[in-house]
Amino acid sequence: GLGLGFVAHEFVDNRAEVGGLAEVAVDRGEAHIGDAIEQAARFLGWQVQRANNPETATGLMLGLSPIDAAVVMGHDVDASSSILAAALEGAAGYIGALGSMKMQQNRADWLAYRGITDITRVHGPAGVDINARTPAEVAISVVAEIVAVLNGPR
């Protein structure tokens, strides 16, 4: 499962034909969601990598390309927002942010305070709205949105 501590992040790395998921996770409360997203990603043939701190997460974000996706989650506004900032600086084709509308606004405020006001690339709350209630349902909604965005319009 995910690590313990302050914030959880997931990153989907879709390099090559087989995609991948790289996670930075240290929020126990969201560990089940992270595990479920990993399972859904593996089902699609994506490889999974995990990192356990925001510094490593930032490096992963900056290395993403337009065929990659990043999903950030966590209750620590500073940590999750700094990862979002790195994702926005990078080239990921999908950036998702899990969390409540209040958390989305807190992150937007954190970014704006640091001069990052164009957050149109951030899908937040991440996932297709299917009224998800369980970690597995959240995972399906997030992975479905990633597939839809990375596959582009019909």
Side-chain angles (χ1 to χ4, degrees):
L2 301 182
L4 311 176
F6 24 103
V7 66
H9 312 276
E10 268 100 38
F11 316 97
V12 173
D13 173 15
N14 222 2
R15 286 179 222 286
E17 300 274 348
V18 176
L21 176 70
E23 296 187 11
V24 177
V26 280
D27 185 329
R28 198 166 218 171
E30 292 180 337
H32 297 300
I33 293 173
D35 290 343
I37 291 173
E38 177 182 348
Q39 287 180 335
R42 285 189 188 277
F43 178 75
L44 292 176
W46 297 345
Q47 298 169 350
V48 177
Q49 299 174 24
R50 288 188 174 194
N52 57 13
N53 61 70
E55 294 74 24
T56 303
T58 297
L60 288 171
M61 288 293 153
L62 295 173
L64 297 179
S65 76
I67 61 168
D68 298 325
V71 179
V72 178
M73 70 175 158
H75 298 294
D76 182 307
V77 174
D78 288 329
S80 60
S81 299
S82 68
I83 302 303
L84 272 180
L88 286 164
E89 195 176 325
Y94 173 89
I95 301 171
L98 285 172
S100 67
M101 289 306 293
K102 179 172 175 27
M103 177 56 80
Q104 304 300 326
Q105 187 59 54
N106 289 342
R107 290 176 182 144
D109 292 346
W110 187 98
L111 292 165
Y113 183 75
R114 287 152 184 85
I116 303 167
T117 55
D118 181 4
I119 59 170
T120 54
R121 291 171 59 208
V122 177
H123 297 263
V128 177
D129 185 2
I130 59 170
N131 296 321
R133 292 187 174 91
T134 67
E137 290 172 351
V138 171
I140 294 296
S141 76
V142 170
V143 170
E145 186 175 58
I146 292 168
V147 170
V149 169
L150 293 183
N151 284 348
R154 291 184 175 199

